[in-house]
Amino acid sequence: MKKFDKFIIVVSIIMFLIAVAMNFVMFGSEKDTGALYKIEINRIEQEIMAGNEVNMENYKTVLGIYEYKANEDFYRSENKYVILSVNGTLYRIEYDDTAGERNIKIPIVCNVILLILFFVIIFSLLYIRNNIMKPFAELSDYPYRLAKGALSVPLKENKNRYFGKFIWGLDMLRETLEKSSLREMERAKKEKTFLLSMSHDIKTPLSAIKLYSKAVSKGLYTGGKQIEAAENINSKADEIEKYVNEMIENLSNDFMKFEVDTAEFYLSEVIEKIITYYTDKLQSVGTDFYVKEYIDCLIYGDSDRLEEVLQNIIENAVKYGDGHCIFLSFSDEEDCRLITVSNSGCTLPDTEFPHIFDSFWRGSNTENKQGCGLGLYICRQLMNAMGGDIFAEMSDNYMNITVVCRK
């Protein structure tokens, strides 16, 4: 902000200097023009001396030339004049020494224009300062505070037309991060409590197994006692197995919460965003990308979430395809609109298809590509939350991921 304030001051000084320079030039030229009558009178004197006829149209300040006559009042005139004696004859040359002031309107108009221009520029700069630079400066450290974990302090509301939506989006991001942080802390607390409880429950049968095994190893049980000890060991092992299965089931439950805001929106709203984002991106890496023709329709769901689903699928297509071609096609089935993302170069075995929507699962075609195996899992969870579905199939070396949206 301080730099911009200095910039406004510099602009003001420069405009002031320009105005001073222009006035100096204009009034200097007017002053010279005011003395023009002397020059013209001298020229007339030279022409009379040379015996030439004086053409009054060539002179701007001279009003008239009168030769001395004895029967006239030669020295009486309402205008300013000079008396010249040329070749023994007296001449009264009347002139207007204010002729140079006839253009005084020009400097006034120029100064008015400069003044208006000055106020327009200063007003524009102050408007930019107060409505763009100042709000932006106040927001500049907010992403840094979010990154540092300052999630509890809400962002101050601002009705600024340029940053209103941006501020609203940042505050929504803060709320989402805050909720996510609280959920993570609550989940960690529950997991820790659960694991402590499970470890305590497992210790009891585990201690019993150790006692029975020691007794058997030392030959304390004979005959029927050995069989009974073996059955007790097996029973305690079953009990431990039950706890382990319970632990696995608990930890394998959904660990991510997906929220959707269902409403009606036009399919074209989402597809146009996808086209805008991926046309240039895929062109830069040499991948052909096109969207087949479709009839627009109303979709029931969350437009932002559907866009997220399509982005996840296309990113997978970029990562695991051969980079030759990616395209979107559309079809209808009962009251649903199907959107299919196809990419060339599918190398995933048929046996792995049933698992591609599982969490943390990665196929044999991932090789050294980065990822955690959650992309398509998230897509399925989101589509299910919107009342839709998602499935995959392979045909002619193309991977086809189809999203089913409710109309």
Side-chain angles (χ1 to χ4, degrees):
M1 285 297 296
K2 291 182 179 180
K3 289 184 178 180
F4 195 77
D5 291 340
K6 290 180 180 178
F7 175 73
I8 294 176
I9 295 173
V10 170
V11 170
S12 302
I13 294 173
I14 291 174
M15 293 197 65
F16 175 76
L17 293 175
I18 291 173
V20 171
M22 289 187 65
N23 277 276
F24 178 79
V25 172
M26 289 186 294
F27 285 107
S29 62
E30 291 295 334
K31 188 174 181 180
D32 294 339
T33 306
L36 180 62
Y37 75 96
K38 295 180 181 179
I39 299 173
E40 292 186 343
I41 290 173
N42 184 58
R43 286 174 54 195
I44 290 172
E45 183 180 7
Q46 297 299 324
E47 288 195 26
I48 294 174
M49 289 178 65
N52 298 329
E53 185 178 353
V54 178
N55 186 358
M56 295 295 295
E57 294 181 356
N58 296 331
Y59 300 94
K60 296 179 181 180
T61 62
V62 176
L63 301 177
I65 303 172
Y66 303 94
E67 186 177 345
Y68 175 79
K69 293 181 180 180
N71 58 349
E72 293 180 358
D73 190 354
F74 183 70
Y75 296 98
R76 184 184 295 271
S77 175
E78 295 179 356
N79 300 317
K80 294 181 179 180
Y81 62 87
V82 294
I83 305 297
L84 295 179
S85 176
V86 182
N87 298 330
T89 303
L90 294 177
Y91 292 90
R92 187 179 79 240
I93 301 176
E94 297 181 0
Y95 63 91
D96 181 7
D97 62 353
T98 63
E101 298 176 2
R102 292 173 186 170
N103 295 326
I104 192 66
K105 292 182 179 180
I106 295 176
I108 294 175
V109 171
C110 290
N111 277 286
V112 170
I113 293 175
L114 280 174
L115 187 63
I116 293 173
L117 184 62
F118 172 79
F119 280 113
V120 168
I121 293 176
I122 295 303
F123 175 79
S124 300
L125 290 174
L126 290 175
Y127 181 83
I128 293 172
R129 177 191 183 278
N130 295 327
N131 292 276
I132 297 178
M133 301 298 294
K134 185 177 179 181
F136 184 77
E138 292 174 353
L139 290 172
S140 59
D141 66 333
Y142 194 74
Y144 175 78
R145 287 193 284 125
L146 286 181
K148 288 291 186 179
L151 306 175
S152 58
V153 180
L155 192 60
K156 185 179 179 181
E157 291 186 6
N158 193 318
K159 295 182 180 179
N160 185 288
R161 68 172 65 182
Y162 303 105
F163 295 98
K165 191 173 182 180
F166 178 69
I167 293 172
W168 176 74
L170 275 179
D171 202 48
M172 280 193 64
L173 174 62
R174 179 196 63 79
E175 290 179 358
T176 302
L177 291 174
E178 185 179 18
K179 290 178 182 178
S180 177
S181 178
L182 292 174
R183 283 199 301 266
E184 182 65 24
M185 291 174 63
E186 186 65 24
R187 185 183 67 83
K189 180 181 177 181
K190 288 181 178 179
E191 283 188 1
K192 187 173 182 179
T193 303
F194 174 76
L195 290 174
L196 288 172
S197 176
M198 285 292 101
S199 62
H200 180 270
D201 291 339
I202 290 174
K203 281 183 179 180
T204 302
L206 187 61
S207 298
I209 289 175
K210 290 176 69 176
L211 288 173
Y212 282 122
S213 61
K214 285 182 180 179
V216 171
S217 65
K218 292 181 179 180
L220 298 179
Y221 296 113
T222 57
K225 289 287 186 179
Q226 286 184 339
I227 297 175
E228 183 180 351
E231 290 176 351
N232 287 332
I233 291 174
N234 188 58
S235 173
K236 298 301 180 183
D238 289 341
E239 189 175 346
I240 292 175
E241 186 179 13
K242 183 189 73 171
Y243 289 135
V244 171
N245 290 335
E246 185 179 347
M247 185 183 302
I248 293 172
E249 182 181 356
N250 185 278
L251 294 177
S252 62
N253 285 336
D254 289 342
F255 52 90
M256 300 177 70
K257 186 178 181 181
F258 301 95
E259 297 178 356
V260 296
D261 296 324
T262 52
E264 292 183 349
F265 62 92
Y266 281 98
L267 176 63
S268 58
E269 296 176 12
V270 175
I271 301 303
E272 289 302 321
K273 291 180 180 178
I274 294 296
I275 293 174
T276 301
Y277 181 75
Y278 281 103
T279 298
D280 293 336
K281 179 178 180 179
L282 294 180
Q283 185 178 5
S284 65
V285 295
T287 300
D288 293 333
F289 176 71
Y290 59 93
V291 177
K292 293 187 176 180
E293 293 185 3
Y294 66 95
I295 299 175
D296 201 9
C297 65
L298 277 173
I299 299 295
Y300 183 75
D302 188 327
S303 61
D304 292 331
R305 290 301 197 178
L306 179 58
E307 182 183 349
E308 181 182 346
V309 167
L310 293 176
Q311 285 180 345
N312 271 335
I313 297 172
I314 295 175
E315 291 299 329
N316 273 1
V318 174
K319 187 183 295 184
Y320 302 117
D322 60 6
H324 177 66
C325 176
I326 297 174
F327 65 90
L328 272 66
S329 57
F330 307 85
S331 60
D332 292 295
E333 187 175 293
E334 297 181 354
D335 61 344
C336 296
R337 171 60 57 90
L338 279 61
I339 308 171
T340 301
V341 179
S342 304
N343 67 276
S344 59
C346 177
T347 58
L348 192 68
D350 293 339
T351 55
E352 296 185 4
F353 260 80
H355 305 288
I356 64 173
F357 296 103
D358 294 344
S359 60
F360 298 110
W361 184 88
R362 305 195 73 202
S364 57
N365 63 340
T366 57
E367 297 177 355
N368 295 324
K369 299 180 177 69
Q370 293 184 348
C372 56
L374 286 174
L376 292 179
Y377 169 80
I378 292 174
C379 291
R380 168 163 283 181
Q381 299 303 313
L382 290 175
M383 292 310 302
N384 290 340
M386 289 189 285
D389 198 4
I390 184 172
F391 61 89
E393 59 182 358
M394 187 176 68
S395 61
D396 300 329
N397 198 38
Y398 274 82
M399 167 71 85
N400 306 305
I401 306 292
T402 300
V403 176
V404 181
C405 304
R406 289 172 56 195
K407 287 186 180 179

